[in-house]
Amino acid sequence: MEPLIITCAPVGAEILPEQTPHLPVTPAQLGETARKIREAGASIVHVHCRNDDGSNTHSVRRFHQAYEAIRAQSDLIVQFSTGGAIGMTPHERASVLELRPEMATLTCGTVNFGDDVFENSFPIMRGIAAKMREFDVRPELEIFDKGHLANARRLAKEGAIDLPQHVDFVLGVPGGLEASAQNLCDLVDDLPPGCTWSVAGIGRAQLALAMVAIAMGGHVRVGLEDNLYYSKGELATNEQLVARVARIAAEAGRPVATPGQARRILKLGPMRSAQGVAAAAPN
Ligand code: KMH
Ligand code: ZN
């Protein structure tokens, strides 16, 4: 099996700063988190941004500051969210692609999201995918439900995206596919040939599905975006969640990938700086 790629999603758009003291809100805090999760074994950071008061923002300026802060402290693969927060316009969600991060998410379908709807119609998906092409950003296909893989195949058939790609299964969102090993296996069986994959279990499912993915040869996403707790009633830090997966993987004979190894596995180019200019990777 390949080394294990751990993605950390340290912020998200749903967690309120009142829920945990460990949410990185400012670019400086994100940079510090990047250093700590890299030391703990992560190779990708999935980025959302907040204003200083903790509210969500998809401002290009704030993402640029976050990108610079992350790059100043780590060689992580930087993956921007284009999902943003419920209520953001597709234009807002895609605007940050002009910063040319190495990767960005492309959610492959609409899904109920608690009492809200996370809207990703075909025109929205096509628009975001086109911007990814324009700015040479590699998509990570976010799959919240089984039909989203069919949507990805449809997008590929019409030429909006290329396949294979790296796919992230987000399981356990209220309104999406439930987080179970059986559902994960069904999704992996249905993957387009050549795709790599990771799983992000929501809440308590994060740990269990990470262990399943380690055993299956997939990759793992953890972080406060998906799960606030280390154990029942005990709040987690992002680096604790990464370190635990790294330890379990080491026991299972799958050392974690460095960002350099992850770039090779995902067939990405060299590390990019915050200006989008290629820079030499330090590893
Ligand atoms: N915050 C969710 C509505 C992504 O980052 O691409 C969407 C999300 C997915 O988090
Ligand atoms: Zn996200």
Side-chain angles (χ1 to χ4, degrees):
M1 289 185 197
E2 295 277 16
L4 181 74
I5 298 171
I6 302 178
T7 299
C8 184
V11 193
E14 284 73 35
I15 303 301
L16 303 171
E18 299 86 82
Q19 290 176 274
T20 174
H22 305 303
L23 195 71
V25 169
T26 64
Q29 288 168 345
L30 254 178
E32 192 58 19
T33 296
R35 182 182 63 73
K36 290 179 182 166
I37 62 174
R38 168 65 168 102
E39 280 170 14
S43 44
I44 303 178
V45 59
H46 169 75
V47 179
H48 289 251
C49 284
R50 303 295 182 100
N51 296 307
D52 287 347
D53 65 3
S55 57
N56 284 297
T57 177
H58 234 58
S59 118
V60 175
R61 192 160 165 269
R62 193 70 165 181
F63 268 71
H64 187 248
Q65 290 166 348
Y67 196 175
E68 283 190 317
I70 292 166
R71 194 47 86 234
Q73 301 223 42
S74 81
D75 58 350
L76 290 167
I77 296 169
V78 174
Q79 179 196 84
F80 284 177
S81 167
T82 68
I86 299 288
M88 286 180 178
T89 64
H91 176 76
E92 260 181 298
R93 287 165 50 186
S95 60
V96 296
L97 293 170
E98 69 185 63
L99 297 173
R100 298 179 188 267
E102 292 173 85
M103 296 182 89
T105 52
L106 176 65
T107 297
C108 291
T110 295
V111 64
N112 284 307
F113 206 87
D115 288 348
D116 297 312
V117 176
F118 179 26
E119 200 188 334
N120 294 285
S121 63
F122 275 98
I124 290 174
M125 294 188 283
R126 284 184 202 112
I128 295 173
K131 268 216 148 178
M132 288 186 175
R133 281 230 171 104
E134 181 183 348
F135 294 110
D136 188 26
V137 179
R138 180 72 66 78
E140 174 182 275
L141 307 182
E142 303 298 304
I143 304 297
F144 289 71
D145 217 335
K146 186 96 164 47
H148 290 187
L149 279 178
N151 293 345
R153 280 190 287 271
R154 183 174 173 207
L155 287 171
K157 201 167 174 190
E158 64 185 43
I161 61 169
D162 298 316
L163 285 177
Q165 292 292 355
H166 186 57
V167 173
D168 182 45
F169 301 119
V170 186
L171 300 186
V173 168
L177 195 61
E178 289 159 322
S180 71
Q182 184 62 60
N183 282 338
L184 178 60
C185 290
D186 291 347
L187 289 165
V188 171
D189 277 351
D190 195 29
L191 264 184
C195 288
T196 50
W197 63 272
S198 61
V199 66
I202 302 300
R204 262 180 306 178
Q206 184 168 90
L207 178 59
L209 287 185
M211 293 193 288
V212 174
I214 290 166
M216 288 175 71
H219 302 282
V220 171
R221 175 172 123 174
V222 292
L224 300 188
E225 173 165 350
D226 305 326
N227 166 41
L228 277 180
Y229 292 97
Y230 192 81
S231 60
K232 196 169 167 35
E234 185 190 350
L235 290 169
T237 65
N238 283 296
E239 55 273 20
Q240 281 174 335
L241 295 171
V242 172
R244 175 165 62 182
V245 170
R247 279 197 306 276
I248 294 169
E251 283 292 317
R254 281 192 76 188
V256 295
T258 63
Q261 288 172 317
R263 287 186 177 91
R264 179 185 57 73
I265 293 166
L266 301 176
K267 300 184 174 65
L268 293 169
M271 186 176 80
R272 292 180 186 177
S273 75
Q275 282 74 42
V277 178
N283 55 335

